[in-house]
Amino acid sequence: MTGTLAAVGAGLAVIGAGIGIGNVGAKAMEAIARQPEAVGDIRANMILMAALVEGAALIAIILSFFA
Amino acid sequence: MSGMNIKSLLTLVLVVASVSLFAQADNHTDSSHEQAAQSENSHETDNHDDQDAHSTEGHHDECAFHHEQDPENFNPQQIAFHHIADANVYSIGPLQLPLPCILYSKESGWDIFLSNKFEFDRLGHGAGYKAFNRYVLDGGSVKRIADASFPGGSVAIEGFKHKEIVVDGKKKEEAYICYGGNEYKLDAKSTLDGGMFGGGITSFHDFSITKNVTAMILVTLFLMWMFLSIASAYKKREGMAPKGLQGFIEPVFTFMNDEVVEPFLGKKSLTYLPFIMALFFFILGLNLFGQIPFFGGANVTGSLSVTLVLAVITFLVVNFSGKKDYWQHIFWMPGVPAWVKTILTPVEMLGVFIKPLTLMLRLFANITAGHIVIIIFVSLIFIFGKVGTVPAAGYGAAVGSTVLTLFMMSIELLVAFIQAFVFAILTASYIGAAVEEHHH
């Protein structure tokens, strides 16, 4: 039973990360549409930001293993 | 013309992938048929009803080798974890090759031998028929018989048994072997996780050249050869346009330099360029090596120990190159009220450790998740084949899972590059923050 609860927690964490990375991607697309010449810089920063958001979700998922 | 080429290439890839998928499916069922003759006299026929009853429970109480187990007893979770784990055999397709074992236990000291001492099947699943000096090969990895009354030297064993027990509300699998009518408990190798992942210090340590170590050695040798030949090409062809391998790697290298190293490190970039490039190409090489189907599938960057070491190296480099400003921003952030500092300082101090921790987990989780998803897609064939009880359902699922697996593998190819890039860019940004000089 604890395993199932932990799985729910992991799922909730992934929802948060999904919203976060979705926002990063959406804003990056908008920025590229506005300034197509800055696509290289925007892409690199987008990946960096997505990775940082992902980090928070990963910690939650690993914690759910221990729960 | 190029359209034609791409089409024929795609067709070739599809054909090869579907053939090999079927070959693997056949291998799974065939190996149980092949060996059925061997075990006809034993439990396989007379205890069939008994085994059916157990298969619903998901674990087996029979003493058996892998191929003797009921194919009905298909457990995708177990298979996934077996395939992403490190092993003491190297598998190319269904072929299993022995690797050197270097084992140490307090009681019997060092044991160094090739893992073919365990006499596993060349076309099997890494279950050894023999114990050697109280070590056995279970599911490709070496385990040790804890009981001192078990004889040393080469001893034929009768089978393996896996039991699921519950400790503190957590499921744990215990492995046993059968010998002379008794069951002997097996110890897994010692791991340094302090029991967090179900490991801990057991009766022996495994320093073997395992599948992952072999993959790392191969990739390192390849990278050395590649970069040495490129370096000599730059010397020989000075001032000329890059050619061949040199022309292939140069854009990648300059991209990494212009997008990652230069923006974050500025003047210091030459000092840290070798470190960040080494990290990037090592991780990229291992990610891509793990993608090659039926060539070991070494899940090196999906192994926590490997990503842990990479993250620890980054942690050391960042903190040893930290300037005064870096430490000041951690312990006593300038320009904020004192009461904020009481909150900020613990958070910043935690951040020093959380940064390498997420670096470690990100790479591990991304690569492992990709491997597991591919294994689950392949498992769908067997799950459908079993549920439908008509072979057609399995064949239908095989077509679907071939497409899904190809799709997933192309995504994994992208992830291999992105994760290597992310590791490099985050390392560069952490080092950049550590060496930055602020002007207040």
Side-chain angles (χ1 to χ4, degrees):
Chain A
M1 193 59 211
T2 51
T4 355
L5 260 179
V8 172
L12 287 175
V14 170
I15 291 176
I19 294 170
I21 295 178
N23 271 338
V24 171
K27 292 289 172 189
M29 289 300 126
E30 275 175 27
I32 291 170
R34 214 171 282 146
Q35 272 184 304
E37 69 277 6
V39 62
D41 288 347
I42 294 170
R43 194 195 294 120
N45 281 308
M46 177 186 80
I47 292 174
L48 181 65
M49 284 302 133
L52 289 175
V53 173
E54 198 186 41
L58 285 173
I59 292 177
I61 287 172
I62 297 297
L63 282 178
S64 75
F65 274 127
F66 299 142
Chain B
M1 186 63 201
S2 69
M4 274 281 287
N5 279 339
I6 290 170
K7 251 187 207 166
S8 52
L9 193 75
L10 262 179
T11 328
L12 185 77
V13 168
L14 263 170
V15 167
V16 169
S18 43
V19 164
S20 37
L21 266 179
F22 278 111
Q24 221 202 17
D26 278 346
N27 169 43
H28 271 266
T29 44
D30 266 3
S31 55
S32 54
H33 289 310
E34 259 170 43
Q35 310 293 340
Q38 273 187 24
S39 53
E40 249 176 352
N41 49 351
S42 63
H43 35 253
E44 188 136 292
T45 41
D46 27 87
N47 284 354
H48 199 264
D49 293 343
D50 197 29
Q51 263 195 336
D52 270 358
H54 285 304
S55 69
T56 51
E57 286 167 36
H59 59 94
H60 15 83
D61 283 306
E62 291 286 315
C63 229
F65 291 102
H66 185 285
H67 51 73
E68 291 171 355
Q69 285 164 16
D70 197 344
E72 293 285 303
N73 203 348
F74 180 75
N75 184 351
Q77 196 189 359
Q78 212 177 28
I79 287 173
F81 279 99
H82 165 74
H83 279 266
I84 61 165
D86 202 359
N88 292 78
V89 290
Y90 198 93
S91 37
I92 295 174
L95 183 71
Q96 311 276 325
L97 301 173
L99 290 173
C101 292
I102 303 164
L103 307 160
Y104 174 79
S105 73
K106 265 196 186 135
E107 291 166 60
S108 51
W110 292 92
D111 274 291
I112 299 167
F113 54 89
L114 267 180
S115 61
N116 58 4
K117 276 264 200 299
F118 295 120
E119 303 203 355
F120 52 85
D121 283 329
R122 274 287 181 271
L123 299 168
H125 289 86
Y129 292 103
K130 284 198 172 162
F132 184 74
N133 282 351
R134 284 169 60 198
Y135 291 106
V136 291
L137 192 71
D138 178 20
S141 50
V142 171
K143 290 180 180 167
R144 188 167 184 269
I145 299 154
D147 194 340
S149 65
F150 193 85
S154 197
V155 180
I157 54 174
E158 284 148 29
F160 293 93
K161 196 174 200 172
H162 295 100
K163 291 179 188 170
E164 243 175 31
I165 54 155
V166 178
V167 184
D168 300 334
K170 271 190 197 172
K171 270 188 199 167
K172 219 177 144 186
E173 205 188 66
E174 281 191 339
Y176 292 85
I177 62 146
C178 305
Y179 170 75
N182 289 326
E183 282 173 17
Y184 293 89
K185 192 170 177 290
L186 297 179
D187 272 350
K189 66 183 171 197
S190 297
T191 49
L192 288 173
D193 63 4
M196 282 200 292
F197 296 96
I201 306 295
T202 57
S203 66
F204 80 106
H205 296 267
D206 190 352
F207 298 98
S208 308
I209 313 285
T210 55
K211 187 170 82 176
N212 283 357
V213 179
T214 315
M216 273 193 275
I217 291 171
L218 287 176
V219 167
T220 312
L221 287 177
F222 174 75
L223 287 179
M224 266 173 67
W225 167 77
M226 190 173 85
F227 280 106
L228 286 177
S229 67
I230 289 174
S232 73
Y234 273 107
K235 265 182 205 151
K236 262 188 269 163
R237 302 169 44 80
E238 210 183 333
M240 289 195 277
K243 198 179 132 194
L245 197 60
Q246 191 190 2
F248 181 66
I249 293 299
E250 196 182 274
V252 183
F253 199 92
T254 43
F255 170 80
M256 286 303 289
N257 187 38
D258 295 348
E259 297 289 321
V260 176
V261 183
E262 282 285 344
F264 286 104
L265 293 161
K267 273 184 283 174
K268 296 263 173 56
S269 67
L270 265 187
T271 322
Y272 294 102
L273 181 78
F275 172 60
I276 289 165
M277 287 300 177
L279 268 184
F280 175 75
F281 282 102
F282 185 62
I283 294 172
L284 180 64
L286 287 173
N287 283 352
L288 291 177
F289 189 77
Q291 298 286 310
I292 304 172
F294 312 113
F295 197 71
N299 186 25
V300 186
T301 36
S303 148
L304 260 183
S305 343
V306 175
T307 57
L308 172 78
V309 173
L310 290 174
V312 164
I313 294 171
T314 301
F315 173 79
L316 293 177
V317 169
V318 168
N319 286 291
F320 276 109
S321 49
K323 293 276 187 306
K324 197 188 86 200
D325 281 344
Y326 169 71
W327 295 111
Q328 196 193 1
H329 275 245
I330 289 169
F331 290 113
W332 207 244
M333 182 76 87
V336 294
W339 66 273
V340 178
K341 281 176 189 164
T342 56
I343 307 166
L344 213 53
T345 304
V347 171
E348 286 282 338
M349 278 163 72
L350 270 181
V352 173
F353 298 100
I354 286 177
K355 280 171 186 172
L357 185 75
T358 53
L359 220 49
M360 163 182 114
L361 294 177
R362 180 178 300 110
L363 184 58
F364 160 75
N366 274 287
I367 303 303
T368 304
H371 282 241
I372 289 182
V373 168
I374 288 171
I375 295 163
I376 296 300
F377 280 156
V378 176
S379 299
L380 281 179
I381 302 169
F382 306 101
I383 294 169
F384 274 95
K386 188 175 133 188
V387 170
T389 56
V390 270
Y395 287 113
V399 176
S401 101
T402 307
V403 176
L404 283 175
T405 308
L406 276 176
F407 169 71
M408 200 58 218
M409 289 193 92
S410 39
I411 286 191
E412 277 303 288
L413 221 53
L414 201 66
V415 168
F417 280 95
I418 289 179
Q419 288 310 316
F421 176 72
V422 162
F423 202 106
I425 199 173
L426 285 175
T427 305
S429 80
Y430 295 156
I431 296 174
V435 297
E436 202 178 5
E437 311 234 350
H438 294 270
H439 306 285
H440 297 289

